[in-house]
Amino acid sequence: MSERKKVTLPTLFKKVSEGTPITWLTCYDYPTAYLQDQAGIDMILVGDSLGMTMLGYDSTLPVTMADMIRHTQAVRRGAPNVFLVGDMPYMSYQPSVESAIRSAGRFMAEAACDAIKLEGGVEMADRIEGIVKAGIPAIGHLGLTPQSVSALGGFRVQGKGALQAKKIMDDAKALEQAGAFAILLEMVPDRVTQLITERAENCIIMSLGSGPDAHGQLLIYHDMFGLYPKFTPKMAKVFGNAGEVILNGLKAYVSEVTDRSFPQRENWFTIKDEEYQELRSLLD
Ligand code: KIV
């Protein structure tokens, strides 16, 4: 198992003060979590994007709290030392401050998270405040917020116009004042991200497709490795095509089983001759 020191809030703020970018990835399962911890990733987000990447839904909306807890527990078992963030699923916090505190509490108690993330700006600031007052570190999420994809008119860049950009900046300030220790900006123009990062006083600004000037970067793991079959968004860099490697392996398996070149002698188990003879005699 990993020998790393546990990544904590002070570790993250130290990186910010030293000007070292924070690394953050999504993850939804035990073996991938193990590899990410070994690779030295600072933060993992168990995103409700698992609805699309792991469960095959067309959006994140059908994902339940039970889905999130189960995947987050698996990730925690694989990555005990990363800073683990649970993503609050649709309608687990929107109805009220109380629902938000209860859902955040489940993530902490049942999945050993270090923090939670929720989507929305000034209208969700009271949820952030309630969660933080309950002693739970909280991250806000602005820009393209997938749980509101219908209201936003699709998966598109947010804050391209000055007024919309100003609204995102106001939202960021409201979340920071409510106590969010970090804010994720998704698909926000680079110079807007730069302004928000410069103006953040005690808040870590993270970027997903929002430029290089934030305090760190987030990517969706499945996009990095060609593992999401439907599309790869522009903001994702493909660091390796694991999807292609796996597909080629699967095709080879089909072919080798079909032509009987698999399995070979080293791939199966045997019984000793005397045991086999006795077995035969038992059958006679
Ligand atoms: O669910 C998720 O993975 C997210 C990212 C899109 C930021 O919220």
Side-chain angles (χ1 to χ4, degrees), residues 26 28 45 47-49 87 117 141 146 184 186 208 218 220:
T26 62
Y28 321 100
L45 172 67
D48 64 354
S49 51
D87 200 14
K117 172 177 88 57
H141 180 170
L184 170 67
E186 178 172 353
L208 172 56
L218 170 68
I220 308 285

Side-chain angles (χ1 to χ4, degrees), residues 24-28 45-51 53 60 68 87-88 117 119 141 144-147 155 184-186 208 218-221 223 235:
W24 194 11
L25 287 180
T26 62
C27 182
Y28 321 100
L45 172 67
V46 183
D48 64 354
S49 51
L50 70 82
T53 55
T60 59
M68 293 304 301
D87 200 14
M88 303 267 272
K117 172 177 88 57
E119 299 180 9
H141 180 170
L144 190 273
T145 44
Q147 290 175 14
F155 290 92
L184 170 67
L185 301 177
E186 178 172 353
L208 172 56
L218 170 68
L219 272 185
I220 308 285
Y221 174 81
D223 296 338
M235 61 197 171

